[in-house]
Amino acid sequence: MKVPFKRILIANRGEIAVRVIRACREMGVEACVVYSDADRLSLHVLMADRAWPLGDPVSKHSYLDIDKILHAAEAMGCEAIHPGYGFLAENPEFARRVEEAGIAFVGPTGDCIAALGDKTAARQAARNAGVPVVPGAMTRVSPAEAERVAEEIGYPVLLKAAAGGGGKGMRIVRGREDLAEAFRTASSEAGAAFADASIYIEKFLENPHHIEVQVLFDNHGHGVYLGERECSVQRRYQKVIEETPSPFINDDVRTRMGELAVRLAGSVGYRNAGTVEFLVDADRNFYFLETNTRLQVEHPVTEMVTSIDLVKEQLRLAAGQRLGYGQSAIQPRGHSIECRIYAEDVENGFMPSPGRIVRLVQPSGGPGVRRDSGVYEGFTVPIYYDPLLAKLVTWGKDRSEAIDRMRRALHEYHVTGIKTTIPLAQMVLSNADFLAGSYSTSLLDHLTVRRRDGQHMEEIALAALAVRLLHERLTRTGLTTRRVPTMSPWKRFYRAEAMRKR
Amino acid sequence: MKVPFKRILIANRGEIAVRVIRACREMGVEACVVYSDADRLSLHVLMADRAWPLGDPVSKHSYLDIDKILHAAEAMGCEAIHPGYGFLAENPEFARRVEEAGIAFVGPTGDCIAALGDKTAARQAARNAGVPVVPGAMTRVSPAEAERVAEEIGYPVLLKAAAGGGGKGMRIVRGREDLAEAFRTASSEAGAAFADASIYIEKFLENPHHIEVQVLFDNHGHGVYLGERECSVQRRYQKVIEETPSPFINDDVRTRMGELAVRLAGSVGYRNAGTVEFLVDADRNFYFLETNTRLQVEHPVTEMVTSIDLVKEQLRLAAGQRLGYGQSAIQPRGHSIECRIYAEDVENGFMPSPGRIVRLVQPSGGPGVRRDSGVYEGFTVPIYYDPLLAKLVTWGKDRSEAIDRMRRALHEYHVTGIKTTIPLAQMVLSNADFLAGSYSTSLLDHLTVRRRDGQHMEEIALAALAVRLLHERLTRTGLTTRRVPTMSPWKRFYRAEAMRKR
Amino acid sequence: MKFDIQHRGRLVHLDISAQDSVYRLEHGGKVVEFHCVRVSDDTLSVMVGDRVFTAYVHSAPPGYSVQIHDLAFEFEVLEGGGGIMGERGRRGHGGAHRLSVPMPGKVVSVLKKVGDAVSVGEGIVVVEAMKMQNEIRSPRAGKVREIRVVAGETIEGGATVAVIE
Amino acid sequence: MKFDIQHRGRLVHLDISAQDSVYRLEHGGKVVEFHCVRVSDDTLSVMVGDRVFTAYVHSAPPGYSVQIHDLAFEFEVLEGGGGIMGERGRRGHGGAHRLSVPMPGKVVSVLKKVGDAVSVGEGIVVVEAMKMQNEIRSPRAGKVREIRVVAGETIEGGATVAVIE
C-alpha cells in the first residue's frame, strides 16, 4: 500500500489515539500526538513517535484549543491531522483552519461538517435526500418556542444539544410542567460540554432501536456503505454495547438504510468515513437521527466483519487516493460485538471512577478477541476526560459464537484500583433479551447492576482474605514470610483423596 | 452449539493448554488440567476450573506418566482428554488406554496413531493412497542398515527419530564418514525426547519447502481439508514462522495436496484434526513427509483465514457429532502469519533462556492481531519444558497487510528478564526474501541474528541509563527522589522552540 | 491467627493456620483446608481440593475487596487487619456522619449550608469528574454540621465534603 | 553526577544533572537535554525535543541492558553504578577467566578435567535446559584450572562451571 503521508498529527488521546497510531505504524506513517499535563504518561504518548505538550489539562485549554493544535502540527511538520472522535472532531472551524494551514484534515470539509454536524441542517439535508426524519423543530429553539413545538408534535418530546452527542445535554420531557427545568439543565450541560448551549427539540419515540450505517467516501464522489451497527444497548443515551449485523432488521431494511445513507452523504459532497444514525421503531420503520462526520467509537465491529481497516482507509482517502472498490466488494462475514469498558462504579449510580489502575489483567488472546485499550497497569486515569478506558471486541462465525467469546473474554478481564463497567457488560451478556437478540434502547432502563456475590464463592473469598491478613500481620510483626514451597507429596495425596471422597 | 462434554482433562501445559481452556469456556465445558510441581503457578493452572498435581517436574514422571494422567482424569470425573501437542499426544498406548478407561480421546484411535505416527508405516500408507513419498528406508534401521541404505539412495541422507518431531533426533549426513557419529547422537537424543531411540533414514532434499495440509474428520468418515500452511521458516528443523496461504504454491498444487491429504486420512480411518506434511521441491513436486495425528502448534493461522475454531471442532467431533459441512464450505479469506516466540538467546547460539519474566509487554490489540501466550509478567519459565512461550498471529486482507500488522505487533512486544526470539522474528519480517515470498527451508541457514544496535539510538539509551543510575545513586545515598512534576511552561516552550530550530 | 471480618453487616470470625502453603481456615464453625500461593502482590491462587480460584485481594479502606472470577466481595476488618484505621477514620465524632466523595474531582457547586436540614438522599454538593456532574447525596436525614469544600475546589477521592449530624 | 560506562569496549563518560524532570546529559563532549519520567520500575519515557522513546532499563550484571523499540544495548558500569560488584565478580583472580552458564539447567556431562588444555570455542561442559543440550564453550585458549560442577547437578543461571587460565 502506498504511504499516504510521511507524518501526521493525531489530535486526540486515549484508546482512539492509540488506534490511529497502530494504523500509522502499519502504513509506515510517523505518528505525532499532543498531550496535556495530565497525559504525559498516557499510552498514546508512550506509543507515539513524536509528542507535543499542550499544558493545562482542562480540555478547553488543551485538546479543544485550535491554535495550540495547529501550532503543534506545524512545529512537528505534520502533513495531515486525524481528529479521532470527540474534542474537535466535528468542529467545522477546526476543519477549515486545518485546510487553510495547508494540512490535510482526515474527515469531510468544514462546510460539510457544518451542514451535517448541526442537527437542524442535517435533518433538512436528509429530507432533501429522501430520508425519513423524526417530527420536530428544524431550528434551535428558545424555551418559549420549545413549548410551542412540543404542543404541536405532542409529548413526550426530546431536548438535545444542537452541537451535541453522547447523551450530554439531552432530556426527555413527558409533560409541559417539566419542560422549563429540563430545558435549563440540558442547555447548561450543552454549554459546558460543547461550548454551545443551543437546544433542539423533536418527537420522542418510545423504546426505539438505535441503528447506524457506516459509509466511506473518497474525495472523488465515490462511496459505499459497510453495513450497519446495532447500538441499542445504551444508558443515558451513552452506547454501552454494539454489534453487527443487527439481530433486529432484515436484509431488505438493511439494504434500504445503506443505500439512503450513501445517497444522503453523496448529496452533501461527503468524503472520508462517516456514520448515519437511524431510530427504528417496532415496525422497522426507520427515521434519520443524525450524522457523525468522523470515526465512531464502535468502528471495530464493522472492521471485524468487513475485513476493512477503516482508519487506514481514512488516511488513504484523506491523501486523495481513490476508493478503488464498489459496493459489491463489501461482503460482511460472521458477527461482531463490542463492549465499552468505562471507569464508572456500576454499583454506585455509575459514578465516575478515575484513579490509579493497580492491577490490570486484560483478555489476552485466543481466537476472535480484539482489544482497543488506552490504559495500562499502573496508569492513573485522569479526572479531566471521558471515562472510556477500553473496548473489548469479539468476532464469531455467528452471533452465538461472538457472544460465547465475549463472555469468555470478560471472564479473563480483571481491574483493581478503579471501578469499571465490566460487571454491566457481564450482566448484559447473560441477559435473556440480549441473548435472544430481542432488545431495544429500553433494555437497560430498569436494570440495576451489582456485582454478583455468589454464596458458594464467599468461603473462597474469605480464605484468600485470611491468607492476605495473615501475611500482612506476619510482616508487620517483623516475622518474615518465607517463600512458600510447593506441597509435600503426602499433602498432595491427602488433598487428592480428600477431594475424591466428596 | 450443543455442549459436547460436561468436563474434560487437558493433559498438557503452556500456551496450548491455555488455548484449549479458552475453547472449553466458550462451549460451557469445565476445563481440568494437570500440573507438575514446577507448574503450580503456570497460566494453564491459574485459568483452569480444576487442577490435579503430578509431582516431579521431570516430564517422564509427570506429563508423560500415563497412569498419573488417567488417575487425574478419573479423580476429577473427566469425560474426555485433550492431549494438546507433544507429550502423550501421539502415543498410541495412551490413546488406547484412555478409550479403555471409557474416556473419549480427542484425536484419532490408538491404532490410527500407531499407523501414522510411526513414520515407516505412515510412508506405506501414503504410498497405498497414491501420495508420492521421499526415497528412503521404510523401516527402523540399525547403524549398519543405515549405511547400506545411504549408499543405495545416495548422500546427503537424513536421520530422524522414528517417534520424533520438532527436529529432535534429526541429523543431515553428507558423507559416509559422518554417518556413525550422527546416528549415535540422533539416537540418544531421540531416546531422551521420546523414550524411543529408533532411527529412520531417507533421502535429504536440498532446500525444500515444508508445506502441510490441515484435515478435519468426524467419527463417521466425513472429512475436509482446511488449506495449507507454509512452514519453511525453520532453524534446526524447528518451525519459527508459519503462514497461510503459502506464497509458493498455486491453486492447482494446493487442491491436489488437499485432496491427497484427505484421501490418505480417509484410507486409514482417520478422525478428528490432523495434519499431513509435505516437502515441496523447487519445481513444486511434493512428497509425503509425515502425518501429525494431533493439533499443530501453528493451527491458529488456519483458524484466522477459515473462521473455523479447530479446537472447538475437535471437542465437538470427539463427542461423536457430525462434521456437518463439506469441502465447499471451506472458503479461506485473507492471509495469516504466526511468529513463535521462544525463550532462547538468539545472540548466543539460541541457548535456552528460562527464568523469571521481569517485564512483559505483549502486543495488546488493534485489528488483526491474535496472541496465544502461556506466560505472564512475573512468571518464572521453568527449565524442564519446551521453550515456546507464546505465538503471535496476525491476519490481513492480503499478505502485505498481515506482514505490516506483524511488524507493528512485534514493535509493541517487550520482554525483559529472559531472552526471547523476538529479534529473530523481527529480522525475518524485514528479510527481502521473506517479504518477496520467495524462501525455502534454507532461509535461516546462513542467518546470524543479533539485536540491531542503531547508533542514532545509542544516545537515547545512554540518557535512560544515566537517569536510572542517577536515581539509584540518590536512593543509595539516602537522598529521596521526589516524584518528578511535569515540566514548567517555560521549559515546555524552550523544548518546543529548541526542537523547531533543528 | 484470628481475625474478625464484617461482610454485608454479618460478623465472621476467622481463624487461620498454615503449614508450608497449605492453610486451614475456621470460620463460623466450618473448616476448610486449601492450598494457596502468591501469584503477585495482590493476586493469590487458591486450591480447594482440585478446584482452582484466582483471587484478587485489593486493599479498599476500611477493608478489602476480593474479586474472584466475575464476583466481588467487600470485607471490613474489625481488628488485626490493616483496615482498622480507615474504619475509625470514617466514623465521625459522636453520631455525626462524614460525607465523603468516592472519587477525585472538582466541586461544581455546594447545595447546602451549615445548619440546613437534610433528608435521606438529598444532594449536598455537586462534583464534576470525567465530564459528568455527580450529586453527592446524604445517606441519612439530619442537619449539616460542617461543609468542608467550596465551589471550584479540586478534591481527592475519599475526601470529606460535609459532616451530617 | 558522573558515571563511567563501557559499551562495546568503548569507554563513555556520563555527566547528568536534573531539574524537575528535565535532564541534561554530557557524554563525550556532546550535550543532550531531555525530559524523562518513570512509567514503572524499569520503564522510562524519554523525550528529546518532540521525539518520544520508551526505554526498558534492566539490570543485567555486570551492567545494564537498555531496550528501545527493537534495539537492545548492553552497558557495563565501571564505577558508581550498581553493576560494579558483578563486574569485579566475573573477573577471576589474576588472568583467570570464570566460565559461567547463561541460564539455569542440569549438567549432563563434563568434557574436560583440571589441567586439560583448551582452545578457543572448545566445549567444557554440556548443560541441558528446556530439552536442549548446550555445550558451554571456552571463550579463550588456556588450561583448565578448576571444574566446579559434576554431571547430574542442577545449576543456577550465572553459576561458574569452570575456571580457565
Side-chain angles (χ1 to χ4, degrees):
Chain A
M1 187 184 282
K2 164 161 152 294
V3 178
F5 301 104
K6 178 180 179 300
R7 184 183 299 165
I8 73 164
L9 174 67
I10 300 157
N12 215 300
R13 65 177 301 285
E15 69 84 20
I16 194 59
V18 170
R19 169 69 185 95
V20 179
I21 288 170
R22 291 193 165 119
C24 289
R25 283 240 185 297
E26 292 178 21
M27 300 180 96
V29 175
E30 229 185 287
C32 307
V33 300
V34 283
Y35 65 98
S36 76
D37 288 345
D39 275 333
R40 172 64 180 86
L41 284 170
S42 285
L43 191 57
H44 76 286
V45 177
L46 301 185
M47 285 181 67
D49 294 306
R50 296 172 185 269
W52 197 268
L54 298 175
D56 192 337
V58 175
S59 302
K60 185 158 85 265
H61 304 123
S62 52
Y63 298 103
L64 287 173
D65 185 325
I66 295 179
D67 293 327
K68 281 185 178 175
I69 303 283
L70 286 176
H71 174 76
E74 283 160 354
M76 291 189 283
C78 299
E79 298 167 2
I81 295 182
H82 192 302
Y85 52 71
F87 292 130
L88 295 169
E90 294 182 282
N91 180 315
E93 190 206 343
F94 180 60
R96 288 195 197 97
R97 291 198 43 200
V98 169
E99 298 277 346
E100 282 161 17
I103 298 170
F105 180 76
V106 181
T109 62
D111 296 350
C112 189
I113 294 173
L116 293 175
D118 175 315
K119 294 183 180 43
T120 312
R123 283 162 59 93
Q124 191 53 64
R127 264 198 195 157
N128 301 344
V131 184
V133 300
V134 179
M138 305 286 288
T139 60
R140 292 137 194 267
V141 291
S142 66
E145 291 166 328
E147 192 152 346
R148 187 177 46 66
V149 175
E151 294 307 323
E152 200 175 285
I153 61 178
Y155 289 92
V157 295
L158 187 63
L159 301 177
K160 306 160 68 173
K168 283 168 203 123
M170 270 204 185
R171 292 289 185 282
I172 304 173
V173 186
R174 302 202 169 270
R176 170 189 294 171
E177 61 281 8
D178 307 328
L179 190 62
E181 167 63 4
F183 195 102
R184 200 186 54 70
T185 54
S187 181
S188 82
E189 232 178 78
F194 316 107
D196 172 358
S198 45
I199 290 296
Y200 150 69
I201 180 171
E202 71 182 17
K203 175 76 179 166
F204 175 69
L205 303 178
E206 294 285 354
N207 309 343
H209 277 251
H210 182 136
I211 299 176
E212 62 188 22
V213 174
Q214 175 73 54
V215 299
L216 207 51
F217 273 74
D218 64 21
N219 300 358
H220 314 282
H222 306 296
V224 295
Y225 61 92
L226 288 82
E228 82 285 5
R229 291 181 290 254
E230 170 72 67
C231 307
S232 298
V233 183
Q234 306 184 353
R235 54 169 290 280
R236 297 198 203 138
Y237 303 98
Q238 190 181 49
K239 296 168 185 171
V240 172
I241 294 178
E242 301 95 345
E243 65 180 310
T244 184
S246 164
F248 180 62
I249 63 173
N250 55 35
D251 283 345
D252 169 48
V253 174
R254 183 166 286 122
T255 307
R256 279 190 295 125
M257 265 187 177
E259 286 168 353
L260 283 173
V262 168
R263 193 198 297 172
L264 168 55
S267 72
V268 295
Y270 199 83
R271 60 180 215 199
N272 216 271
T275 296
V276 181
E277 299 191 330
F278 297 93
L279 290 179
V280 185
D281 68 21
D283 308 322
R284 296 180 174 69
N285 303 311
F286 56 87
Y287 304 93
F288 172 79
L289 177 58
E290 65 181 49
T291 303
N292 298 122
T293 58
R294 38 82 181 170
L295 193 66
Q296 295 282 79
V297 174
E298 59 272 23
H299 73 278
V301 295
T302 299
E303 294 181 320
M304 298 297 270
V305 298
T306 61
S307 306
I308 289 175
D309 186 317
L310 284 169
V311 180
K312 285 197 282 190
E313 286 298 273
Q314 280 191 296
L315 296 179
R316 204 171 62 76
L317 297 176
Q321 296 182 27
R322 292 183 170 276
L323 197 55
Y325 47 83
Q327 193 59 51
S328 62
I330 311 302
Q331 299 295 342
R333 179 172 185 165
H335 196 98
S336 183
I337 300 178
E338 168 182 285
C339 289
R340 300 187 184 194
I341 309 302
Y342 293 101
E344 292 176 348
D345 183 352
V346 295
E347 290 158 271
N348 191 4
F350 290 87
M351 195 75 83
S353 183
R356 181 161 186 278
I357 298 174
V358 175
R359 168 88 35 216
L360 180 63
V361 181
Q362 300 191 74
S364 60
V369 175
R370 166 180 170 179
R371 200 171 75 218
D372 284 76
S373 170
V375 298
Y376 56 90
E377 188 169 284
F379 176 65
T380 298
V381 181
I383 65 172
Y384 302 97
Y385 314 110
D386 271 8
L388 182 65
L389 299 173
K391 302 175 315 198
L392 184 58
V393 180
T394 59
W395 181 93
K397 60 182 184 312
D398 51 31
R399 186 169 188 263
S400 89
E401 187 175 52
I403 288 173
D404 291 340
R405 286 181 170 158
M406 182 59 77
R407 293 167 70 140
R408 184 258 292 175
L410 286 169
H411 184 85
E412 295 178 13
Y413 216 145
H414 285 283
V415 185
T416 67
I418 62 173
K419 306 280 190 167
T420 74
T421 53
I422 291 170
L424 172 65
Q426 284 166 325
M427 214 185 48
V428 173
L429 265 292
S430 53
N431 172 285
D433 293 336
F434 181 82
L435 296 181
S438 57
Y439 63 93
S440 74
T441 45
S442 65
L443 180 67
L444 298 187
D445 288 356
H446 311 294
L447 208 67
T448 54
V449 194
R450 34 172 299 267
R451 277 294 186 107
R452 277 165 44 233
D453 178 346
Q455 281 313 310
H456 64 295
M457 280 297 186
E458 182 176 344
E459 182 171 67
I460 308 301
L462 284 171
L465 176 65
V467 171
R468 166 73 171 258
L469 293 174
L470 174 64
H471 285 251
E472 278 182 359
R473 172 81 60 88
L474 292 173
T475 313
R476 234 188 353 273
T477 54
L479 303 171
T480 55
T481 61
R482 64 181 154 69
R483 207 179 160 303
V484 283
T486 52
M487 300 178 74
S488 61
W490 76 263
K491 278 206 213 61
R492 195 178 310 112
F493 181 76
Y494 159 79
R495 248 178 79 241
E497 294 316 308
M499 178 276 141
R500 294 184 69 174
K501 296 200 190 66
R502 297 193 179 172
Chain B
M1 187 183 283
K2 163 160 154 295
V3 178
F5 303 104
K6 178 179 179 302
R7 185 182 298 164
I8 73 163
L9 174 67
I10 299 156
N12 213 300
R13 64 177 302 283
E15 69 84 20
I16 193 60
V18 170
R19 169 68 186 92
V20 179
I21 288 170
R22 291 194 166 119
C24 289
R25 284 238 185 298
E26 292 177 21
M27 299 180 96
V29 175
E30 230 186 284
C32 307
V33 300
V34 284
Y35 64 99
S36 76
D37 288 344
D39 275 332
R40 172 63 180 88
L41 283 171
S42 286
L43 191 56
H44 76 286
V45 177
L46 301 184
M47 286 181 68
D49 294 306
R50 295 173 185 271
W52 197 268
L54 297 176
D56 192 337
V58 175
S59 301
K60 183 157 88 265
H61 306 123
S62 52
Y63 298 103
L64 287 173
D65 184 325
I66 294 179
D67 293 328
K68 282 185 178 176
I69 302 284
L70 285 176
H71 173 76
E74 283 160 352
M76 292 189 281
C78 299
E79 299 168 3
I81 295 182
H82 192 301
Y85 52 70
F87 291 130
L88 295 168
E90 293 180 282
N91 179 316
E93 189 205 343
F94 180 59
R96 288 197 195 96
R97 292 196 46 197
V98 169
E99 298 277 345
E100 281 161 19
I103 298 171
F105 179 75
V106 181
T109 62
D111 295 351
C112 189
I113 294 174
L116 293 175
D118 176 313
K119 295 182 182 42
T120 312
R123 284 161 58 93
Q124 190 53 63
R127 262 198 195 152
N128 301 345
V131 184
V133 300
V134 179
M138 305 285 290
T139 59
R140 293 137 193 266
V141 292
S142 67
E145 290 165 330
E147 192 153 346
R148 187 176 45 64
V149 175
E151 293 309 324
E152 201 175 283
I153 60 177
Y155 288 92
V157 296
L158 186 63
L159 301 178
K160 305 160 69 173
K168 282 167 206 125
M170 271 206 186
R171 292 290 185 281
I172 304 174
V173 186
R174 301 200 171 272
R176 169 190 295 170
E177 60 282 8
D178 308 327
L179 189 62
E181 167 62 7
F183 194 101
R184 199 186 54 69
T185 55
S187 182
S188 82
E189 234 179 74
F194 314 108
D196 174 357
S198 46
I199 291 296
Y200 151 68
I201 180 171
E202 72 183 19
K203 175 76 180 167
F204 176 69
L205 301 179
E206 295 286 354
N207 309 341
H209 277 251
H210 182 134
I211 300 176
E212 61 188 23
V213 174
Q214 176 72 54
V215 298
L216 207 51
F217 273 74
D218 64 20
N219 300 357
H220 314 282
H222 305 297
V224 294
Y225 60 92
L226 288 83
E228 82 284 7
R229 290 181 291 255
E230 169 72 67
C231 306
S232 298
V233 184
Q234 305 184 352
R235 53 169 291 282
R236 297 201 204 135
Y237 303 98
Q238 189 181 51
K239 296 168 186 170
V240 173
I241 293 178
E242 302 94 346
E243 64 180 310
T244 185
S246 163
F248 179 63
I249 63 174
N250 56 36
D251 283 345
D252 170 50
V253 175
R254 183 167 285 122
T255 307
R256 279 192 293 127
M257 267 187 175
E259 286 168 353
L260 282 172
V262 168
R263 192 197 296 170
L264 167 56
S267 72
V268 294
Y270 199 82
R271 60 180 216 200
N272 216 271
T275 296
V276 182
E277 298 191 329
F278 297 94
L279 290 179
V280 185
D281 68 20
D283 308 322
R284 296 179 174 69
N285 303 312
F286 56 86
Y287 305 92
F288 172 79
L289 177 59
E290 65 181 49
T291 303
N292 298 121
T293 59
R294 37 83 181 169
L295 191 67
Q296 295 281 77
V297 173
E298 59 272 23
H299 74 277
V301 294
T302 299
E303 294 181 319
M304 298 296 270
V305 299
T306 61
S307 307
I308 290 176
D309 187 317
L310 285 168
V311 180
K312 285 197 281 191
E313 285 299 271
Q314 280 191 296
L315 296 179
R316 204 171 63 77
L317 297 175
Q321 295 182 27
R322 292 182 172 275
L323 197 54
Y325 47 84
Q327 192 59 49
S328 62
I330 311 303
Q331 298 295 341
R333 179 172 185 165
H335 196 99
S336 183
I337 300 178
E338 168 180 285
C339 290
R340 300 188 183 193
I341 309 302
Y342 293 101
E344 294 175 347
D345 183 352
V346 296
E347 289 157 273
N348 192 2
F350 289 87
M351 194 75 80
S353 182
R356 182 162 186 275
I357 297 174
V358 175
R359 168 84 40 213
L360 180 62
V361 180
Q362 300 191 73
S364 58
V369 175
R370 167 179 171 179
R371 200 173 75 220
D372 285 76
S373 169
V375 299
Y376 55 90
E377 188 168 285
F379 176 65
T380 298
V381 180
I383 66 171
Y384 303 97
Y385 313 109
D386 269 9
L388 183 65
L389 299 173
K391 302 175 313 199
L392 184 58
V393 180
T394 60
W395 181 93
K397 60 182 184 309
D398 51 32
R399 186 171 189 260
S400 90
E401 187 175 54
I403 287 173
D404 291 340
R405 284 181 171 158
M406 183 58 77
R407 294 168 68 141
R408 184 258 293 173
L410 287 168
H411 183 87
E412 296 178 13
Y413 216 145
H414 286 282
V415 185
T416 68
I418 62 172
K419 306 279 190 169
T420 75
T421 54
I422 291 170
L424 172 64
Q426 284 166 325
M427 213 185 49
V428 173
L429 266 291
S430 53
N431 172 285
D433 293 335
F434 181 82
L435 296 181
S438 58
Y439 62 92
S440 74
T441 46
S442 65
L443 180 67
L444 297 188
D445 289 355
H446 312 292
L447 209 67
T448 54
V449 194
R450 38 174 294 270
R451 276 295 186 107
R452 276 166 43 234
D453 178 347
Q455 280 314 309
H456 64 295
M457 279 300 185
E458 181 176 345
E459 182 171 67
I460 309 301
L462 284 170
L465 175 66
V467 172
R468 165 74 171 258
L469 293 174
L470 175 63
H471 285 253
E472 278 183 358
R473 173 79 62 86
L474 292 173
T475 315
R476 239 195 340 277
T477 55
L479 303 172
T480 56
T481 61
R482 65 181 152 70
R483 205 180 161 300
V484 283
T486 52
M487 298 178 76
S488 62
W490 76 262
K491 277 206 213 64
R492 197 178 309 114
F493 182 75
Y494 159 80
R495 249 179 78 240
E497 294 316 308
M499 179 275 142
R500 292 184 70 174
K501 294 199 191 69
R502 295 188 181 174
Chain C
M1 209 166 269
K2 293 184 164 52
F3 301 94
D4 285 349
I5 306 301
Q6 188 128 34
H7 181 229
R8 311 192 154 235
R10 231 173 65 263
L11 184 70
V12 187
H13 301 284
L14 303 181
D15 187 349
I16 183 161
S17 57
Q19 181 184 11
D20 293 343
S21 44
V22 176
Y23 296 80
R24 186 172 178 289
L25 174 69
E26 274 187 61
H27 62 101
K30 281 190 287 175
V31 174
V32 56
E33 192 175 47
F34 58 97
H35 187 258
C36 183
V37 288
R38 188 178 158 288
V39 179
S40 73
D41 288 344
D42 59 2
T43 311
L44 295 170
S45 176
V46 177
M47 280 191 190
V48 182
D50 61 351
R51 301 196 58 202
V52 187
F53 307 91
T54 302
Y56 299 88
V57 184
H58 177 55
S59 163
Y64 292 81
S65 143
V66 179
Q67 285 182 34
I68 299 173
H69 301 329
D70 54 342
L71 305 176
F73 303 81
E74 310 290 336
F75 298 110
E76 282 195 17
V77 181
L78 299 186
E79 54 188 61
I84 184 70
M85 303 322 288
E87 178 57 18
R88 282 219 193 82
R90 219 185 45 167
R91 299 220 175 99
H93 355 282
H97 175 87
R98 291 187 185 182
L99 184 64
S100 62
V101 287
M103 77 296 182
K106 187 153 167 282
V107 177
V108 176
S109 56
V110 178
L111 308 172
K112 295 286 175 184
K113 60 182 189 316
V114 173
D116 288 357
V118 294
S119 50
V120 177
E122 208 175 346
I124 308 295
V125 300
V126 177
V127 177
E128 177 176 316
M130 299 181 139
K131 316 263 195 137
M132 284 291 173
Q133 303 203 348
N134 313 280
E135 235 181 33
I136 308 302
R137 302 188 170 82
S138 175
R140 55 144 85 175
K143 201 146 144 303
V144 177
R145 181 202 282 172
E146 296 176 47
I147 293 287
R148 299 197 177 175
V149 294
V150 297
E153 180 179 356
T154 302
I155 54 178
E156 285 305 307
T160 299
V161 293
V163 179
I164 313 295
E165 67 185 353
Chain D
M1 209 165 269
K2 293 184 165 53
F3 301 94
D4 285 348
I5 306 301
Q6 189 128 34
H7 181 230
R8 313 191 151 235
R10 233 172 66 263
L11 184 71
V12 186
H13 302 284
L14 303 182
D15 187 348
I16 183 162
S17 55
Q19 182 185 9
D20 294 341
S21 43
V22 176
Y23 296 79
R24 185 172 178 288
L25 174 69
E26 272 187 62
H27 61 103
K30 281 191 287 173
V31 175
V32 56
E33 194 175 46
F34 59 97
H35 187 258
C36 183
V37 288
R38 187 177 159 288
V39 180
S40 74
D41 289 345
D42 59 3
T43 311
L44 296 170
S45 176
V46 177
M47 280 192 191
V48 182
D50 60 352
R51 303 195 58 201
V52 187
F53 308 92
T54 302
Y56 299 87
V57 184
H58 178 54
S59 163
Y64 291 81
S65 141
V66 179
Q67 284 182 34
I68 299 173
H69 301 328
D70 53 342
L71 306 177
F73 302 82
E74 309 290 335
F75 298 109
E76 283 195 16
V77 182
L78 299 186
E79 56 187 61
I84 184 69
M85 303 322 290
E87 176 58 17
R88 280 219 195 81
R90 216 182 48 166
R91 299 217 175 101
H93 355 283
H97 175 88
R98 291 186 185 180
L99 184 64
S100 61
V101 287
M103 77 293 181
K106 186 153 166 284
V107 178
V108 177
S109 56
V110 177
L111 308 173
K112 295 286 175 185
K113 60 183 190 312
V114 173
D116 288 357
V118 293
S119 50
V120 177
E122 208 175 345
I124 309 295
V125 301
V126 178
V127 177
E128 177 175 314
M130 298 180 140
K131 318 258 194 142
M132 283 291 173
Q133 304 202 349
N134 313 279
E135 234 181 33
I136 308 302
R137 301 187 171 82
S138 174
R140 54 143 84 175
K143 202 145 144 301
V144 177
R145 181 202 281 173
E146 296 175 46
I147 293 288
R148 299 196 177 176
V149 295
V150 296
E153 179 179 355
T154 301
I155 53 179
E156 285 306 306
T160 300
V161 294
V163 179
I164 312 295
E165 64 186 355

